[in-house]
Amino acid sequence: MISEKLERAFNEQINAELYSEYLYLSMKGYFERLNLKGFVNWMDVQVQEEHAHALGMYDYVHERGGKVELMAIEKPQTNWNSPLDVFEHVLRHEELVTSKINALMDVAEEVHDRAALSFLDWYLKEQVEEEASVGGVLSTLQLIKDDANALLLLDKDLATRTFVAPVIG
Ligand code: FEO
């Protein structure tokens, strides 16, 4: 059975993952308004990934005999200055999520829950991949600057991203 302290920390992280889903849905809307369909697709995959991250923890808390308590999801930002501005925000956000996963693992360590630590390893690896993939798009956007043709080429590239349901844990 999961300890109360760890249960609370998991519930907070479920909220953070759902907020991430909400944030990327908001960013998807921004790209819809710019008619950049590849960016829309990239964000759509991101939304689905965050949903899967939240549900992975939701299932895990139940599997461990705990109680999931859903909390209010904060209103996300709705506008950005440019695609570059969006991806700078995505990277900042993913770095924040990484620090939250680390903090969650600290709680699991504190209550000596090795099973939870082993489960959370997957999330830690996922964060490394997420930061790398976001960083890749961000550096391309930094090179592109105001070149509309290059932006459209990147848009085409981002249209090829597909969602693969993750096997968590
Ligand atoms: Fe679920 Fe992008 O962190």
Side-chain angles (χ1 to χ4, degrees):
M1 180 121 184
I2 198 168
S3 78
E4 257 179 51
K5 185 168 186 177
L6 187 56
E7 179 187 90
R8 198 161 47 243
F10 262 105
N11 277 318
E12 277 163 17
Q13 190 59 35
I14 290 170
N15 183 265
E17 300 292 344
L18 289 173
Y19 173 76
S20 302
E21 178 180 357
Y22 228 38
L23 176 65
Y24 295 137
L25 195 57
S26 187
M27 289 173 172
K28 181 182 166 188
Y30 169 78
F31 287 118
E32 295 273 15
R33 298 193 292 280
L34 291 182
N35 205 24
L36 287 169
K37 296 299 183 203
F39 282 89
V40 166
N41 174 65
W42 194 96
M43 283 298 165
D44 189 54
V45 172
Q46 201 68 10
V47 165
Q48 293 180 72
E49 288 203 346
E50 298 305 344
H51 191 70
H53 296 169
L55 286 199
M57 290 189 182
Y58 175 100
D59 288 341
Y60 186 71
V61 170
H62 286 130
E63 194 184 336
R64 295 288 308 278
K67 179 186 172 197
V68 168
E69 211 166 305
L70 295 176
M71 294 173 261
I73 303 167
E74 195 188 318
K75 181 183 190 292
Q77 188 173 326
T78 52
N79 212 11
W80 289 266
N81 295 322
S82 62
L84 177 64
D85 187 29
V86 174
F87 273 83
E88 282 169 348
H89 189 168
V90 176
L91 185 60
R92 272 197 317 277
H93 183 69
E94 286 304 328
E95 286 169 351
L96 177 71
V97 173
T98 301
S99 72
K100 283 177 183 285
I101 297 284
N102 275 318
L104 179 55
M105 291 181 94
D106 285 346
V107 177
E109 228 160 44
E110 200 186 309
V111 299
H112 309 294
D113 194 327
R114 289 177 198 279
L117 274 173
S118 138
F119 171 75
L120 287 168
D121 251 347
W122 182 89
Y123 282 86
L124 209 52
K125 285 185 198 127
E126 175 73 359
Q127 282 311 119
V128 172
E129 279 177 29
E130 291 231 330
E131 284 187 28
S133 116
V134 173
V137 180
L138 182 56
S139 34
T140 308
L141 282 168
Q142 281 161 342
L143 283 174
I144 286 174
K145 292 200 175 84
D146 290 328
D147 184 340
N149 285 334
L151 184 68
L152 290 177
L153 274 179
L154 175 61
D155 188 58
K156 247 189 177 165
D157 192 34
L158 298 186
T160 60
R161 187 184 188 198
T162 52
F163 174 67
V164 181
V167 181
I168 298 176

